[in-house]
Each structure stands twice: as C-alpha cells, then as structure tokens.
Amino acid sequence: MADVVVIGGGTAGLTAAIFLQRGALQCTVLETEIFGGRIFPSLSIDNYPAMPGISGFDYSEKLHEHARSLGADMVNEAVESIARSGDMWQVSTQDSAYVAQAVIFAAGEKHRELGIPGEAEFFGRGVAVCAVCDGAFYRDMDVAVIGGGDKALDDALYLSRICNVVHLVHRREEFRAAGGVVAQVKKTPNIVLHLNRVAIEIGGASKVESLTIGGVGAGAGGGSGAGGGSGGNGDELEKLNVSGVFIAIGSVPLSALCAGLVQTDDQGYIIAGEDCKTPTPGLFVAGDVRRKPFRQLVTAASDGAVAAIAAAEYITSKKRGE
Ligand code: NAP
C-alpha cells in the first residue's frame, strides 16, 4: 500500500513524488501517457530556473529519473475512479485498485478541440496536436497550424524547418505568444499568416487534403505579417491545400475524475486553496488542473511541493488521531 497515490506524472505530480519520497512517504504515481507531461515536445524551455534552453524531452527524462531514483513507483495506467472509503482512498484503474491514505490529483489538462468537421475523422491522418512528434511525416509538404499562443508559434517555427509552406491561422490580429517568438515567426519566409481567420472545415478523402478558413466578422480580413499573409476579405472562405493540420488552441482541465469530490469553476478547473487542500480530507490538487492565475512549469512544480507537504501533514495528524 502506498501512503499517497499521485494521479498525473507531469511536473506537479512528479515534484510531489520527489517531496513525498524525501519525506519518507511511499508514493505511487499513475500516468496515462508520458512521464514528464505535456512539456515533453517543447523544443526549448527558457523560463525554468537553472535550466535555460533545456528541451522538453531532456527535462521530462530528468524529472522522471529524479522521482524514480528516490523510490517512487511509476505506473502507466489510466485512472477510472477515485473514492473515499472510510478514512482511506481507493484509486481504481482498469487492472488494479490502489489504496492510500491520501491522493494528490495532478492530472493537468488536455488539448482543446476546435469542434469542426473533419477534426475527429482525420485525427492521426493529417490532424495532429504535436509538431515535434509528427512533423517529420510532413516533410516538404504544405501544412497549417491553428492558434496564436506560444505552442502554435513554436509549432509553426518547428514545421517551417521541415515543411514547404506553413499556414498559421489565428482568430485575432495580435498573438498571445511571447514577443520574441512572434518576431521570429514574422520574419520566417515560409510561414504565411492568416490573421482574423478561423478554421471552418478539414477536408480530404482518406487523409487531410485541405483546410477551409474564413473571417471572424467585423474588422476581419487581411492582417498579414511581415512573413506574408493571406490578405483575404473578411467573410470570404478560402481553401488551403494542406496535408497536415496542427491544432494548438490551448487546453481544457482533466478534472472529471474528481466530480462530486471538489468544486470547479465555470471552465472546469478545480477550486482549491494555495495550500492545494480541497474541502475533502485527504484529497489535494496540484498543477494546471487547479484554478490559478498562471500555469507555468515553475507554478506546477511549486504546487507539487506544496501538495506533498500538505499531504504529509495530513497523514501525520491522522496518525496522531487529530
Ligand atoms: P494559450 O496560450 O492558451 O493559447 C491558445 C491560443 O489558441 C490563443 O491564441 C487563442 O486565441 C487560440 N484559441 C483558443 N480557442 C480557440 C478556438 N476555439 N479557435 C481558434 N483559436 C482558439 O495556449 P498554449 O499556446 O497551448 O500555451 C499554454 C501555456 O503554455 C501558456 O502559458 C504558454 O506561455 C505556455 N507555453 C510555453 C512555451 C514556451 O515557453 N516555449 C511553449 C508552449 C506553451 P486568443 O489569443 O484569441 O485567445
């Protein structure tokens, strides 16, 4: 039996595991996908202290190895339910049931979907969410990236080095991404900006062959950057002949497993204190799934540490019968 089950093996979950193991509490970390989390494909992390320029891959490996070397059990299984049973917790997966004194929920977020025709049908056949993972399949082809945040612009720059033309489709004139990366995108000759444009339909026969885009209403139209732009009229539809569509429009929280145990805000993020405690004894929430103003690696790591310390205090008080 573990003292604590940590759900989610990203920065928050693995930092919690490090703090728990160092505090002589045995933890099991359950992760559905890659240990290290969604930062894994990032080319370069420039805002994590003492690790300037580290790749997402190297960072994830180091983090995983750090938690593993301290004795945390790492299990690749998808959690199906979390339930309180007396003063213990039971976390069930398809194959196993894990009993623990406390649970740290650090499941993070998943990619937001556009909800347009063709998106689900062509997923894995031209529709992708990770340029670093899938970009090589589109060598010398034309592709589109949708979004205006850091991920979309990172993806566009990465693909510009592999692909023929990268169409960057963003629903506004201004980018949300950091200024440096925006400047780089604007001076990359084979990135074509389609600003004030939204994706309408992904088309093709057995795989992606086109992306139809259109205007977003008043004020739309044109808005090309220095890298060249579509310059189309506001409401006109335009069919881009592309073999790949990379969707990078942000994230939604993976909080559904905690339904009935916690409160969420209107976007589904779990409401918990800065101490990561929830109103349910023994359940702590850490990382990007928690409602918070900033979601960065450092804030996820901070949450992981805080949640682990809070869980340790909870277990100690329980043992003392407090
Ligand atoms: P994000 O910052 O939330 O950006 C999402 C983008 O998608 C926004 O431009 C948004 O448009 C657009 N969008 C959202 N819903 C849309 C829809 N339905 N249709 C069309 N466009 C839509 O997400 P992110 O880029 O994944 O980044 C998440 C966090 O990770 C950020 O804090 C970011 O700084 C960080 N990050 C950092 C790095 C790095 O440092 N290298 C790399 C990746 C991510 P609006 O702007 O109009 O809202």
Side-chain angles (χ1 to χ4, degrees):
M1 188 187 83
D3 293 304
V4 181
V5 168
V6 176
I7 299 172
T11 293
L14 292 179
T15 305
I18 290 165
F19 275 72
L20 290 166
Q21 292 297 137
R22 280 181 49 84
L25 290 171
Q26 181 59 44
C27 79
T28 298
V29 185
L30 299 171
E31 166 61 47
T32 318
E33 295 178 1
I34 295 167
F35 283 100
R38 292 197 313 148
I39 196 67
F40 182 81
S42 283
L43 296 181
S44 171
I45 300 166
D46 276 330
N47 57 8
Y48 197 84
M51 292 193 191
I54 190 170
S55 70
F57 178 88
D58 287 344
Y59 167 83
S60 301
E61 291 257 298
K62 277 178 187 282
L63 184 59
H64 184 197
E65 179 52 24
H66 191 174
R68 201 197 56 73
S69 68
L70 292 170
D73 289 326
M74 307 284 187
V75 183
N76 253 132
E77 284 177 18
V79 173
E80 293 188 337
S81 67
I82 308 167
R84 196 163 152 82
S85 167
D87 69 344
M88 300 296 281
W89 286 88
Q90 180 163 317
V91 177
S92 302
T93 66
Q94 191 173 16
D95 300 321
S96 317
Y98 299 86
V99 175
Q101 313 219 41
V103 168
I104 295 179
F105 190 76
E109 300 168 293
K110 68 169 182 167
H111 298 284
R112 180 179 284 126
E113 292 167 9
L114 283 165
I116 60 170
E119 181 182 25
E121 293 91 311
F122 292 115
F123 195 84
R125 290 183 294 133
V127 174
V129 292
C130 174
V132 176
C133 318
D134 296 336
F137 297 123
Y138 302 92
R139 185 168 296 281
D140 299 327
M141 298 179 191
D142 290 1
V143 298
V145 174
I146 301 167
D150 282 306
K151 166 110 177 31
L153 272 66
D154 270 5
D155 282 1
L157 283 173
Y158 180 82
L159 292 166
S160 73
R161 298 194 276 274
I162 299 174
C163 302
N164 181 42
V165 172
V166 179
H167 296 277
L168 179 58
V169 181
H170 177 40
R171 66 183 178 184
R172 288 193 295 134
E173 189 79 29
E174 303 299 328
F175 289 108
R176 189 177 290 275
V181 77
V182 173
Q184 256 184 292
V185 161
K186 285 185 173 176
K187 66 180 187 211
T188 302
N190 66 335
I191 298 179
V192 179
L193 303 184
H194 301 266
L195 303 181
N196 301 310
R197 288 284 188 278
V198 291
I200 290 176
E201 181 171 8
I202 298 167
S206 59
K207 55 191 172 65
V208 168
E209 291 167 15
S210 67
L211 170 70
T212 303
I213 61 172
V216 287
S224 61
S230 65
N233 294 319
D235 293 328
E236 271 176 24
L237 296 187
E238 187 180 355
K239 199 170 188 172
L240 306 174
N241 294 320
V242 292
S243 306
V245 177
F246 288 82
I247 300 169
I249 58 165
S251 305
V252 289
L254 287 166
S255 55
L257 281 168
C258 283
L261 297 169
V262 296
Q263 279 193 314
T264 56
D265 67 12
D266 56 0
Q267 294 182 299
Y269 290 95
I270 296 174
I271 298 170
E274 283 302 308
D275 55 9
C276 295
K277 291 178 185 168
T278 71
T280 310
L283 178 61
F284 304 86
V285 175
D288 289 353
V289 73
R290 184 170 78 81
R291 184 178 68 170
K292 53 163 70 186
F294 303 112
R295 292 189 175 79
Q296 295 292 327
L297 285 187
V298 282
T299 62
S302 165
D303 267 18
V306 170
I309 293 164
E313 284 171 359
Y314 167 79
I315 290 170
T316 305
S317 329
K318 213 164 69 129
K319 281 185 183 151
R320 286 197 198 118
E322 290 167 8

